[in-house]
Amino acid sequence: MNVSEACELFLNHCGSAISLSKHTLRAYQSDLRDIENYLGSLTRLDAVSKEHLRLYIRHLREQRQFKETSIKRRIACMKLLFRWAIHESIVQSNPFDTLNERIRLPRRLPRALDSVDAARLRQSVVKLADKGGYDLLCHRAAIHLLMDTGIRVGELSSICISDMSLSDRCIRIQGKGNRQRLVYMLSPSILAVMKCYLAERHGLHVASDKLFVTSDGRELTPPLVRRSLRDLAAQAGLTLRVTPHMLRHTCATQWLESGLDIRYVQKLLGHHSISTTEIYTHVSDQGLRDALSRAVGGKR
């Protein structure tokens, strides 16, 4: 079987057998197309050796000057392809088994808003609702939910009306790997916003069952949310480039600094591994160091 045929079958498997999200499938498709172009679509998959992999990594790093994160993503996709091919008996050996090539990622702490910027952004969200209109209310509710729950923007866009329970103050979230979890609307402000929004949403006659839709029936996609958040941050006078994922980082950091057990934070964020959640403890440590530096500096 050639590389092109194997990639197509693997993508079909990812879309049907394990039901990956559309976003993940698009990423896999892009990565596999790049791999196919490099190796040659007619090259047999069982002819791909560790030397081909090593040259491909060098090609990405030196000729195309990819960042290590991008290289790692493409190689991870290839690893999944060969693991699947072994399982399906398409190839008899995996070239990754003998590949001794390390991709070192720079250790970067997630960016989170400090308490001052977070408060200013919240004020901007409240002012947005004062202007009136269904679409503004929709955007306000969506961003407010991101700020209070730490869910991913893709998860936000996927919420259906049936996932929401105002009586239980919770929302069922379909996360990565088809893992479901519950997030909670415990603050009076988010509950009031969602009650108001749902009352308006039920009066909207659209075919979509998604929770967040515009007045003309369009689903609130991640790009629309990012654009709305960027505009709100500018109105709030924030100089940072604020993204939905930054709000997720902010939630995690605030929860840990407030003393919430890291296992609960892991569950709320939908992390598969506790090691992913542990990075936020370093962010909290950095916040502590900064506060301490200000306090010590003020006494001199």
Side-chain angles (χ1 to χ4, degrees):
M1 182 179 294
N2 64 40
V3 171
S4 179
E5 292 167 336
C7 289
E8 185 177 355
L9 286 175
F10 174 64
L11 283 172
N12 289 338
H13 165 76
C14 292
S16 58
I18 55 179
S19 303
L20 292 178
S21 69
K22 293 179 180 177
H23 176 76
T24 303
L25 282 174
R26 280 197 302 269
Y28 280 8
Q29 190 173 33
S30 173
D31 290 344
L32 291 172
R33 189 182 299 118
D34 188 74
I35 294 162
E36 186 180 329
N37 288 337
Y38 178 81
L39 294 174
S41 58
L42 299 179
T43 300
R44 290 187 58 82
L45 191 65
D46 57 9
V48 177
S49 66
K50 67 177 180 181
E51 191 58 32
H52 288 109
L53 301 178
R54 189 173 288 117
L55 289 172
Y56 179 57
I57 293 172
R58 188 179 302 168
H59 166 74
L60 293 176
R61 185 178 285 140
E62 297 176 4
Q63 272 72 51
R64 298 170 68 180
Q65 297 186 338
F66 273 27
K67 293 181 179 179
E68 296 294 285
T69 49
S70 299
I71 296 173
K72 192 174 183 69
R73 195 187 84 174
R74 276 179 165 75
I75 297 306
C77 186
M78 284 188 77
K79 283 183 178 179
L80 290 173
L81 170 66
F82 274 98
R83 190 182 303 166
W84 164 83
I86 287 284
H87 185 268
E88 295 295 318
S89 300
I90 294 171
V91 298
Q92 299 303 312
S93 62
N94 189 338
F96 281 101
D97 289 344
T98 54
L99 179 67
N100 185 21
E101 187 82 21
R102 293 189 64 183
I103 300 171
R104 290 184 173 84
L105 297 182
R107 186 168 181 81
R108 293 181 298 182
L109 295 178
R111 294 193 308 153
L113 296 177
D114 61 27
S115 57
V116 175
D117 282 345
R120 289 167 69 182
L121 186 60
R122 282 187 181 277
Q123 290 174 359
S124 188
V125 171
V126 172
K127 289 178 182 177
L128 179 68
D130 295 338
K131 297 179 181 179
Y134 170 83
D135 285 331
L136 287 174
L137 177 60
C138 175
H139 283 267
R140 179 202 175 189
I143 293 172
H144 206 318
L145 198 61
L146 288 175
M147 294 186 72
D148 271 38
T149 63
I151 60 176
R152 302 176 178 94
V153 67
E155 295 170 342
L156 176 90
S157 299
S158 300
I159 298 173
C160 296
I161 295 178
S162 58
D163 294 325
M164 168 82 66
S165 174
L166 284 178
S167 59
D168 294 326
R169 296 190 172 192
C170 67
I171 306 172
R172 183 173 61 248
I173 299 296
Q174 190 76 27
K176 286 186 175 181
N178 279 335
R179 295 189 298 272
Q180 289 189 352
R181 70 185 189 279
L182 293 177
V183 296
Y184 300 91
M185 302 172 291
L186 300 183
S187 73
S189 60
I190 185 60
L191 195 63
V193 168
M194 294 312 300
K195 281 182 178 178
C196 182
Y197 172 68
L198 276 176
E200 296 291 329
R201 172 67 177 84
H202 286 311
L204 206 64
H205 301 291
V206 295
S208 176
D209 64 343
K210 290 292 187 289
L211 176 63
F212 292 107
V213 292
T214 60
S215 56
D216 57 2
R218 290 184 302 153
E219 295 175 2
L220 202 60
T221 60
L224 284 175
V225 178
R226 290 189 184 97
R227 192 178 309 128
S228 180
L229 177 58
R230 190 166 57 245
D231 292 343
L232 270 173
Q235 291 171 24
L238 272 60
T239 56
L240 291 171
R241 180 177 174 270
V242 183
T243 66
H245 220 67
M246 190 183 291
L247 301 186
R248 179 173 167 84
H249 297 328
T250 304
C251 266
T253 305
Q254 289 174 346
W255 288 335
L256 286 170
E257 288 179 344
S258 299
L260 189 62
D261 188 278
I262 192 170
R263 293 284 178 183
Y264 294 147
V265 176
Q266 177 192 5
K267 192 169 183 178
L268 289 169
L269 294 177
H271 287 159
H272 179 64
S273 170
I274 191 70
S275 61
T276 308
T277 318
E278 284 174 344
I279 191 170
Y280 294 108
T281 62
H282 297 293
V283 179
S284 298
D285 290 344
Q286 185 60 45
L288 177 61
R289 289 170 63 90
D290 293 343
L292 185 59
S293 295
R294 289 194 296 270
V296 173
K299 292 180 179 180
R300 291 175 179 175

